[in-house]
């Protein structure tokens, strides 16, 4: 009986692996017929054309500029945001300046990834950069919070393409075994943008006015367009009419938007058990179920379900979601924290992110080179999660009066952990699947990581806002006429004692303990990373991946 059950179990597993392999080949074959992975000199289904080192460096430089533009847009408003909302009014909508961008990026990522696999990536990159320029222009001329948030959403619609198409284009010209060191440089570029962004934001606020921080994006994006047009080869045209999963894209957008709205409004605009919030959660579930059913039938699904039968994809995606949840939840609010609690200027608050990004740059580049040299990478995401857990535990101990050097040391530890695993997870996913669907696989992984970003920004924002409102209501007399809607660094500086001290301590008490909530999530992520299968990194661009050898 025991042997027969084991035999049937093994046969069932083999059958599932065979079905997964057939489904992968169907999607790969359809992509090859309809446009394949033609980009940056790609020759279509047969794989990218060989590139010289000089061509690769030129392509990589152009892609780095595109990714820098996108990353800078996420961080440049961090220190300037209190001043912007103080000028436009509407502090209670402040979190949406960040959340709108992240939400738009999240929704568009899989769309860009799939379209890039079907049509090639060069002209899609140009479109993404052009959309980004439009969004930055809208933000620069914004006369209200509503217009600013709308502009940020348009920026995000372009930014989603910059991230995914750049990562996928690198996979078109560099094999996974060599890609580690390039991924490390990418991680350092994001780290650099995270340091430079807040500094630029603070400088623009104090010297030229906040509107110029959006105008600054425009020439960078135009330079990136020129680089893409010069360095990337024209995609190869393919016969046949591509099948676009418009229904799946719409259902995906509905599910993500309802989830983010529910987490952003819950506990702030509406009670968690209110009909509005419960209705949004229900809509998310219904749209998600409909999306899954749609993807099972779609000829060219925007997120193929066979991806989730790959163990490494699932593990890397879940871990990346947790990492981004913690990272965005931290970087979105700490600059304002340092301005209010430690009375730093916007520029000084921006400098406080430098230790974290220094840690990211150190380990991102080092881990990338180690992965290329040794081919070993499993230990990196495990160490990433453990070090980040330690960092968040340390950050949760900050309080009013904590020396800035101590806070900077805590942030360095956090960055050290982030750099160990953030880009390696993308490399692992790209190594798991055939090159023809590398854009789709990369986009699906980043899609869920961006959901982590959106949830991190909205959940931390919602919990922080509700805690701060309750504390201020309990500790301040009504005669002071102070509420969550008018608390900005500039406002707090002009509040007389003892109200000012109460606001500062309440702000710290509302935000800092939330960091401890992230620790158990990171410990769980570290535990599941032990299940990662360390498949050899492919030595050629046009590889076949490991979809059947690593199925759940």
């Amino acid at each position: 009986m025991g042997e027969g059950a084991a035999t049937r179990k093994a046969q069932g597993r083999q059958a599932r692996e065979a079905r997964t392999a057939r489904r992968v080949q169907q999607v790969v074959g359809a992509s090859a017929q309809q446009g394949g992975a033609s980009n940056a000199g790609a020759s279509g289904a047969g794989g990218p054309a060989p590139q010289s080192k000089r061509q690769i460096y030129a392509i990589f430089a152009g892609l780095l500029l595109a990714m820098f533009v996108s990353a800078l847009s996420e961080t440049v408003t961090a220190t300037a945001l209190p001043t912007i909302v103080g000028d436009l009014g509407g502090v209670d909508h402040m979190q949406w300046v960040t959340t709108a961008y992240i939400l738009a990026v999240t929704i568009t990522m899989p769309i860009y990834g799939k379209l890039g696999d079907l049509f090639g990536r060069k002209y899609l990159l140009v479109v993404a950069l052009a959309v980004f320029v439009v969004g930055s222009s809208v933000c620069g001329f914004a006369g209200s919070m509503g217009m600013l948030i709308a502009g940020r959403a348009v920026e995000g619609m372009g930014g989603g393409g910059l991230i995914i198409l750049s990562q996928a284009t690198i996979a078109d010209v560099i094999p996974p075994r060599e890609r580690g060191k390039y991924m490390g440089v990418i991680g350092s570029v994001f780290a650099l943008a995270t340091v430079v962004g807040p500094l630029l934001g603070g400088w623009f606020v104090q010297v030229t006015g906040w509107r110029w921080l959006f105008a600054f994006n425009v020439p960078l994006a135009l330079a990136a367009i020129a680089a893409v047009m010069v360095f990337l080869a024209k995609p190869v045209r393919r016969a046949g009419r591509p099948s676009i999963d418009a229904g799946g894209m719409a259902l995906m957008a509905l599910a993500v938007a309802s989830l983010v709205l529910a987490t952003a409004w819950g506990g702030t605009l509406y009670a968690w058990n209110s009909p509005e919030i419960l209705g949004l959660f229900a809509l998310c579930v219904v749209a998600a179920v409909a999306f899954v059913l749609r993807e099972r039938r779609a000829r060219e699904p925007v997120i193929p379900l066979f991806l989730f039968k790959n163990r490494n994809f699932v593990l890397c995606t879940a871990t990346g979601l947790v990492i981004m949840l913690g990272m965005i939840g931290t970087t979105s609010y700490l600059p304002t924290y340092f301005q209010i609690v430690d009375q730093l200027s916007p520029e000084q608050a921006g400098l406080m992110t430098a230790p974290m990004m220094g840690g990211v740059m150190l380990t991102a580049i080092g881990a990338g080179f180690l992965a290329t040299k040794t081919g070993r990478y499993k230990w990196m995401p495990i160490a990433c999660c453990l070090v980040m857990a330690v960092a968040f535990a340390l950050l949760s101990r900050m309080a009013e009066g904590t020396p800035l050097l101590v806070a900077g040391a805590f942030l360095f530890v956090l960055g050290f952990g982030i750099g160990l695993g953030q880009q390696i997870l993308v490399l692992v996913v790209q190594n798991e699947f055939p090159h023809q669907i590398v854009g789709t696989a990369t986009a699906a992984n980043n899609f869920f990581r961006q959901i982590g970003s959106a949830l991190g920004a909205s959940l931390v924002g919602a919990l922080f806002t509700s805690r701060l409102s309750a504390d201020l209501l309990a500790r301040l007399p009504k005669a002071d006429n102070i509420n969550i809607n008018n608390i900005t660094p500039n406002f707090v500086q002009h509040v007389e004692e003892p109200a000012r001290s109460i606001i500062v301590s309440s702000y710290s008490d509302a935000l800092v303990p939330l960091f401890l909530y992230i620790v158990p999530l990171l410990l769980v992520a570290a535990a599941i990373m032990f299940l990662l299968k360390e498949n050899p990194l492919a030595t050629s661009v046009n590889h076949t991946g490991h979809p059947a050898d690593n199925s759940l």
Side-chain angles (χ1 to χ4, degrees):
M1 285 290 290
E3 293 181 0
T7 300
R8 288 193 296 273
K9 184 177 180 180
Q11 291 174 343
R13 180 180 179 83
Q14 291 173 357
R16 289 193 299 273
E17 291 177 353
R19 287 195 297 271
T20 300
R22 286 196 299 270
R23 181 57 178 151
V24 172
Q25 291 304 317
Q26 288 172 0
V27 174
V28 169
S31 296
Q33 291 174 2
Q34 297 176 358
S38 55
N39 192 47
S43 57
Q51 302 283 335
S52 68
K53 283 290 185 181
R54 186 173 181 177
Q55 288 174 309
I56 289 175
Y57 291 152
I59 292 170
F60 189 59
L63 297 176
L64 284 180
L65 181 58
M67 284 185 283
F68 181 76
V69 167
S70 177
L72 191 67
S73 181
E74 288 197 52
T75 60
V76 75
T77 60
T79 49
L81 196 53
T83 303
I84 295 173
V85 298
D87 187 14
L88 297 179
V91 176
D92 52 332
H93 298 304
M94 185 171 73
Q95 71 186 78
W96 275 102
V97 178
T98 300
T99 304
Y101 182 88
I102 295 174
L103 178 60
V105 167
T106 306
I107 292 173
T108 55
M109 269 185 172
I111 298 173
Y112 279 114
K114 189 64 184 183
L115 294 180
D117 282 344
L118 291 176
F119 297 102
R121 305 184 226 283
K122 176 174 181 175
Y123 297 125
L124 276 177
L125 263 172
V126 173
V127 170
L129 284 162
V131 172
F132 183 87
V133 167
V134 172
S136 293
S137 301
V138 172
C139 290
F141 289 104
S144 65
M145 282 295 290
M147 187 174 178
L148 177 67
I149 292 170
R152 290 288 286 170
V154 175
E155 270 191 331
M157 292 172 65
L162 303 186
I163 296 170
I164 288 304
L165 295 172
S166 297
Q167 289 182 347
T169 301
I170 291 169
D172 287 339
V173 295
I174 303 168
R177 182 60 188 263
E178 297 294 321
R179 205 176 299 157
K181 57 186 178 183
Y182 291 90
M183 287 296 188
V185 176
I186 290 173
S188 67
V189 165
F190 278 95
L192 178 64
T194 307
V195 173
V196 172
L199 288 175
L200 282 175
W203 184 84
F204 279 122
V205 165
Q206 293 186 334
V207 178
T208 65
W210 62 264
R211 296 182 186 277
W212 283 94
L213 66 89
F214 296 107
F216 178 77
N217 288 332
V218 175
L220 287 179
L222 292 177
I225 290 175
V228 168
M229 292 300 295
V230 171
F231 295 136
L232 297 191
K234 184 178 179 181
V236 177
R237 282 186 172 273
R238 291 285 173 176
R241 184 176 181 180
S243 175
I244 298 176
D245 184 21
M249 295 175 184
L251 290 169
M252 176 192 65
L254 181 61
V256 172
S258 56
L259 176 63
V260 173
L261 287 173
T263 55
W265 289 346
T268 53
L269 292 179
Y270 306 99
W272 285 104
N273 60 352
S274 66
E276 290 84 359
I277 299 302
L278 294 177
L280 284 170
F281 278 124
L283 179 60
C284 174
V285 172
V286 171
V289 171
F291 173 72
V292 171
L293 295 176
R294 166 78 186 188
E295 298 304 91
R296 293 180 63 181
R297 301 190 307 268
R299 182 181 176 188
E300 281 288 345
V302 63
I303 299 181
L305 299 184
F306 67 75
L307 296 176
F308 298 94
K309 295 184 179 181
N310 181 281
R311 181 173 64 188
N312 280 2
F313 174 83
V314 173
L315 296 177
C316 291
T317 298
T319 301
L321 186 151
V322 173
I323 290 173
M324 292 301 293
L325 187 152
M327 181 179 174
I328 296 300
T330 304
T331 56
S332 297
Y333 292 93
L334 276 179
T336 305
Y337 172 90
F338 288 123
Q339 290 180 68
I340 290 180
V341 176
D342 294 296
Q343 303 179 52
L344 301 184
S345 68
E347 285 181 298
Q348 292 171 330
L351 275 173
M352 286 302 299
T353 64
M356 182 173 76
M357 294 308 117
V360 172
M361 294 177 71
L362 177 66
T363 51
I365 294 175
F369 273 86
L370 280 176
T372 294
K373 184 176 181 179
T374 67
R376 308 301 298 270
Y377 52 84
K378 180 176 178 177
W379 65 271
M380 296 177 185
I382 296 173
C384 165
C385 295
L386 293 177
V387 174
M388 286 184 67
V390 172
F392 277 112
L394 293 173
L395 286 169
S396 71
R397 301 179 63 85
M398 287 197 313
E400 185 182 2
T402 298
L404 293 178
L405 284 177
V406 174
F410 293 167
L411 289 171
F412 176 82
V413 175
L414 178 61
F416 193 93
I418 292 170
L420 282 170
Q422 189 178 39
Q423 294 301 320
I424 292 298
L425 293 173
V426 177
L427 174 62
V428 174
V429 168
Q430 291 180 341
N431 189 56
E432 288 298 306
F433 298 100
H435 173 262
Q436 288 90 338
I437 56 171
V438 68
T440 301
T442 304
N445 175 258
N446 277 274
F447 169 72
F448 289 99
R449 292 171 66 169
Q450 286 300 124
I451 286 180
S453 297
L455 290 178
S458 57
L459 280 175
V460 172
L463 290 172
F464 165 66
T465 302
S466 61
R467 287 164 60 94
L468 180 59
S469 297
D471 202 23
L472 290 177
L473 183 64
R475 298 175 63 184
L476 282 176
K478 294 183 180 179
D480 287 334
N481 195 29
I482 298 173
N483 57 63
I484 190 68
N485 294 327
N486 56 18
I487 294 180
T488 65
N490 184 59
F491 173 82
V492 174
Q493 288 176 6
H494 294 88
V495 174
E496 296 182 357
E497 297 289 354
R500 184 193 164 280
S501 295
I502 293 175
I503 294 173
V504 169
S505 61
S506 295
Y507 201 97
S508 179
D509 293 342
L511 178 64
V512 171
L514 297 180
F515 298 144
L516 197 59
Y517 296 176
I518 303 171
V519 172
L521 295 177
L522 288 164
L523 293 177
V524 171
I528 66 173
M529 277 287 100
F530 278 98
L531 301 176
L532 189 74
K533 184 176 180 181
E534 195 173 56
N535 288 317
L537 295 175
T539 57
S540 65
V541 170
N542 194 33
H543 60 91
T544 58
H546 308 275
D549 298 333
N550 195 31
S551 59
L552 288 170

